[in-house]
Amino acid sequence: MDLQADDFYSVLSHPMRLRALVLLKQEGELCVCELTHALVLAQPVISRHLGLLKEAGLLLSRRQGLWVYYRVSENLPEWVTLVIQSTIAGVSTTSPYRDDREALHTMLDRPNQTCC
């Protein structure tokens, strides 16, 4: 993948996209409904942000029935992976990133447990 630095930083300049990327990297794979719960945003807003991250090449998605699941791409350039890992190490214990993860873990009826 040929992700340019200006495209990478541009797509992550919105706080919600950065929060979604951090949460996805921490959790592995999440359904849109899990992200709406954790980030307290409406589904169309989350889907728009996820679409931009996917368009930039940072995310992959898969459909399972009615649900769409997202995960961070495994084929990112090494420098991108290092930046993401460093960012998570620096922010994971601070608000809002810590709060997002805590909110996710309070969600009842998460997919793959039961459908949301």
Side-chain angles (χ1 to χ4, degrees), residues 62-69:
R62 69 177 177 88
R63 180 173 288 282
Q64 182 177 323
L66 298 174
W67 313 115
V68 179
Y69 292 85

Side-chain angles (χ1 to χ4, degrees), residues 18-33:
L18 180 59
R19 287 171 62 187
L21 183 72
V22 167
L23 194 57
L24 284 162
K25 187 66 175 173
Q26 290 173 319
E27 295 294 322
E29 183 179 69
L30 295 172
C31 175
V32 172
C33 65

Side-chain angles (χ1 to χ4, degrees), residues 67-88:
W67 313 115
V68 179
Y69 292 85
Y70 286 87
R71 69 183 183 282
V72 177
S73 175
E74 310 83 36
N75 298 320
L76 297 174
E78 183 179 1
W79 71 267
V80 171
T81 301
L82 292 172
V83 168
I84 292 169
Q85 289 171 341
S86 179
T87 300
I88 291 170

Side-chain angles (χ1 to χ4, degrees), residues 35-100:
L35 289 160
T36 61
H37 179 85
L39 300 175
V40 193
L41 289 175
Q43 181 273 323
V45 175
I46 288 288
S47 292
R48 182 175 161 273
H49 287 302
L50 294 172
L52 291 169
L53 289 166
K54 184 178 178 184
E55 184 179 306
L58 295 172
L59 300 183
L60 300 172
S61 67
R62 69 177 177 88
R63 180 173 288 282
Q64 182 177 323
L66 298 174
W67 313 115
V68 179
Y69 292 85
Y70 286 87
R71 69 183 183 282
V72 177
S73 175
E74 310 83 36
N75 298 320
L76 297 174
E78 183 179 1
W79 71 267
V80 171
T81 301
L82 292 172
V83 168
I84 292 169
Q85 289 171 341
S86 179
T87 300
I88 291 170
V91 302
S92 64
T93 60
T94 66
S95 185
Y97 306 95
R98 177 192 63 235
D99 306 333
D100 295 341

